[in-house]
């Protein structure tokens, strides 16, 4: 079995955004969003609203990175000079050359600004061109229409819906999860160029 060997200082950036490894000290950076924008985690299985939840969220992410199953990033918006949120690679399977891209959230001031497309371009480029992935998968609560629209807009193809796939946070209801993906040949044939034009 091959294990993931990310350089611990992996940084991805362009003229608008910088992604760097998420650290425990980021609790203070994201505390304002955590305390004042609890709806950010409406569809999240691991909420980060409130300082205690935020600490837990970041600790879990860092532990997963140490276990080489995930790689979480803090997202810095160069235009405003502020940290916007977080995103990560997870369910990384190097033998199968697959991973998932998700756990993405941004403070309200950074939504709809084009920041997400810049992040996704950098992350997909790294996944396909540096890590050599064959497939990048995305999942969302099937009710999360904003997230689904964002994924489709970067070139993801819908594969289907997993019914009653997992529990939801603070509810007895279970969620249906929509599955989307981008394949390596799709990235090189069309998705990369189409996404680049939107930046």
């Amino acid at each position: 079995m091959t294990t993931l060997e990310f350089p611990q200082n992996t940084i991805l950036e362009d003229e608008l955004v910088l992604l760097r490894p998420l650290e425990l000290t980021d609790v203070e950076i994201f505390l304002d969003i955590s305390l004042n924008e609890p709806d950010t985690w409406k569809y999240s299985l691991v909420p980060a609203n409130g300082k205690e939840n935020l600490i837990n969220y970041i600790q879990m992410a860092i532990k997963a990175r140490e276990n080489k199953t995930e790689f979480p990033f803090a997202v810095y918006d160069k235009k405003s000079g502020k940290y916007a949120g977080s995103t990560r690679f997870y369910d990384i399977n190097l033998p199968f050359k697959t991973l998932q891209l998700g756990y993405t959230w941004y403070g309200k001031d950074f939504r709809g600004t084009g920041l997400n497309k810049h992040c996704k371009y950098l992350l997909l480029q790294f996944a396909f061109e540096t890590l050599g992935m064959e497939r990048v998968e995305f999942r969302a609560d099937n009710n999360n229409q904003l997230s689904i629209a964002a994924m489709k807009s970067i070139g993801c193809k819908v594969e289907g819906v997993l019914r009653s796939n997992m529990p939801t946070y603070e509810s007895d209801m279970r969620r249906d999860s929509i599955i989307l993906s981008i394949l390596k040949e799709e990235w090189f044939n069309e998705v990369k160029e189409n996404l680049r034009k939107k930046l």
Side-chain angles (χ1 to χ4, degrees), residues 3 27 29 50 55 64 72 88-89 92 99 126 162 166 182:
T3 56
V27 169
I29 289 172
I55 291 170
R88 77 182 74 165
F89 294 124
I92 299 163
L99 55 74
F126 186 74
L162 299 177
M166 55 179 62
I182 298 172

Side-chain angles (χ1 to χ4, degrees), residues 50 99 104 118 140 143 157 174 189 191:
L99 55 74
T104 303
H118 280 261
N143 291 319
K157 287 189 167 59
R174 291 181 61 83
N189 290 344
V191 174

